[in-house]
Amino acid sequence: MKLVLKLLASFVVALVLGVGSALLLLRGGAGLGGAIAVGPWTTSAETGSADADPYTRARIAIGGLLALSRSETIYFTAATDDAGAPLRTRCAYRIIGTDPPARWWSITAYGADHFLIPNPQDRYSFGGNTLAREDDGSFVIFVGPAAADGNWIPTGEKDGTFTLTLRLYNPNEDAARDPSRIELPRIAGEACPS
Amino acid sequence: MKTWPIWIAGTIVLAAVLHILTIFALPYGIMDRAMAGIAAQAGGVNKALYPEPATAGSRGIVRPSPDLLYTACVYDIGARPLRITSPVPDTYWSLSMFASNTDNFFVVNDRQTKTGGIEIILATDDTAKNGNDAQVVIAPSSRGIILFRSLIASDAARPEIDALRRQSRCEPL
């Protein structure tokens, strides 16, 4: 009887430690993780690929199921602004940049649950074909809870962390070969009510 | 003799095994759930599903792009190969295939197709090549997901792109 109890206790402890550490590792990291970083944006060269290591595959399954491999699409994710502060839905940000080297691109905001953030405007993203541009061809996208003129991605009414995904469809050859050298938009933190 | 060091060592080894099992099993489990969701809505496997563009209410697949129209089939080619046909629109379009462990084992986009349409046979081995002109793709697993992406180039173009993607089919041979 005592042995059965001991075995059971050992199994429960092992279960909590083993499964818990796995889930913590997969969910704990910022964004989807990934070895390649450009400012606050990160990506993994192995997304969707059969070369993906088990941890990358598991992380993608949780936060990016059915993602394409990088010759077709590069997915960059940012969980912080340029200064390294976690992105929060109650704060305001400006994404400033020029068109990245791809046939088509878009920037989309996702809640901490990896789904689109509910907002009365039903607006979740801007793409290279849908946003308003500055005179010099560059763009500014406002992300935050308060309405802004121009390209505005609302972050709804609930407070929480969020992430941004930049998709590069059919990236140029150089970009696909070495995503770390792509020039990506800046994410400037603006007002953040405490 | 004290047995507690053996118990601690055993527990640590078991924890490590469970950790590795979790990491390996998660992609299969998540993919299974996604396949079950798509098949339930499509009315079975080897049938196409034509969901509306993603909104905050879309809770099926994580991180959907609201700028794309997705069309999906769960494939099950254990018994028979599958014929996949689709018109190819004049906008970014891709057809991708995912194995049961989430690996993206095949992708083709609109610029890589020569005509206005595509026909592909998906099979577990190349015996399906016999008597078929269509390209044969060998899947690494007998079950998985086929996903079509069509970019909504503009609001004006949406009805035409939507009508075209509704002609995408997955049918057993």
Side-chain angles (χ1 to χ4, degrees):
Chain A
M1 189 64 200
K2 211 172 161 189
L3 182 69
V4 172
L5 278 177
K6 270 185 175 173
L7 277 171
L8 195 70
S10 162
F11 182 77
V12 169
V13 170
L15 192 72
V16 171
L17 281 179
V19 177
S21 63
L23 294 180
L24 212 65
L25 254 175
L26 295 175
R27 287 172 193 264
L32 297 179
I36 301 168
V38 182
W41 303 97
T42 62
T43 189
S44 164
E46 286 88 30
T47 300
S49 156
D51 300 334
D53 67 82
Y55 287 93
T56 300
R57 189 176 280 123
R59 202 173 283 127
I60 295 294
I62 292 171
L65 191 66
L66 307 185
L68 294 166
S69 50
R70 77 169 152 159
S71 60
E72 187 63 24
T73 307
I74 305 176
Y75 302 87
F76 281 100
T77 299
T80 68
D81 62 15
D82 284 341
L87 299 174
R88 298 206 68 92
T89 52
R90 67 183 156 85
C91 305
Y93 303 90
R94 272 196 308 164
I95 305 173
I96 307 154
T98 53
D99 288 79
R103 180 176 166 198
W104 178 73
W105 61 271
S106 69
I107 289 178
T108 312
Y110 296 94
D113 58 2
H114 296 302
F115 291 108
L116 297 167
I117 303 168
N119 67 80
Q121 292 74 21
D122 282 336
R123 170 146 285 287
Y124 316 101
S125 70
F126 278 97
N129 57 330
T130 53
L131 52 57
R133 289 167 191 281
E134 306 294 299
D135 292 339
D136 62 359
S138 66
F139 62 82
V140 179
I141 299 172
F142 298 92
V143 183
D149 287 336
N151 309 308
W152 172 45
I153 301 178
T155 49
E157 285 145 12
K158 282 191 190 150
D159 183 27
T161 57
F162 72 98
T163 54
L164 294 164
T165 289
L166 170 58
R167 290 173 162 84
L168 273 61
Y169 278 85
N170 294 164
N172 296 359
E173 243 175 74
D174 288 349
R177 200 178 306 125
D178 188 2
S180 69
R181 295 169 70 100
I182 306 176
E183 198 174 315
L184 294 179
R186 296 195 295 119
I187 305 172
E190 306 262 291
C192 194
S194 49
Chain B
M1 195 181 90
K2 285 200 173 93
T3 58
W4 62 265
I6 297 167
W7 281 99
I8 288 177
T11 304
I12 289 170
V13 170
L14 186 61
V17 170
L18 289 170
H19 175 97
I20 293 164
L21 277 179
T22 305
I23 297 291
F24 274 94
L26 253 176
Y28 290 95
I30 290 171
M31 194 71 178
D32 259 351
R33 207 175 57 182
M35 289 194 284
I38 294 168
Q41 288 181 67
V45 297
N46 301 328
K47 281 183 183 165
L49 175 70
Y50 311 98
E52 294 298 316
T55 65
S58 310
R59 302 269 142 175
I61 306 283
V62 291
R63 304 182 89 85
S65 170
D67 302 293
L68 300 171
L69 285 168
Y70 293 96
T71 302
C73 310
V74 173
Y75 71 79
D76 186 345
I77 51 173
R80 291 157 72 188
L82 190 70
R83 183 197 303 277
I84 303 152
T85 53
S86 178
V88 176
D90 188 20
T91 180
Y92 173 79
W93 171 96
S94 66
L95 158 58
S96 51
M97 304 183 189
F98 299 85
S100 56
N101 70 345
T102 74
D103 282 355
N104 173 206
F105 66 89
F106 177 84
V107 61
V108 62
N109 64 49
D110 58 298
R111 287 187 172 170
Q112 294 161 336
T113 62
K114 294 201 174 64
T115 54
I118 196 165
E119 178 179 359
I120 287 177
I121 309 289
L122 182 64
T124 50
D125 57 56
D126 56 10
T127 52
K129 271 185 183 148
N130 299 339
N132 268 309
D133 293 337
Q135 180 184 0
V136 176
V137 174
I138 310 293
S141 64
S142 63
R143 284 167 56 82
I145 294 176
I146 298 162
L147 193 62
F148 302 86
R149 290 170 161 91
S150 307
L151 171 64
I152 306 167
S154 65
D155 282 343
R158 179 193 296 237
E160 190 189 339
I161 296 164
D162 193 20
L164 274 179
R165 64 111 182 196
R166 285 175 195 274
Q167 295 173 36
S168 303
R169 300 269 182 274
C170 301
E171 294 157 322
L173 265 186

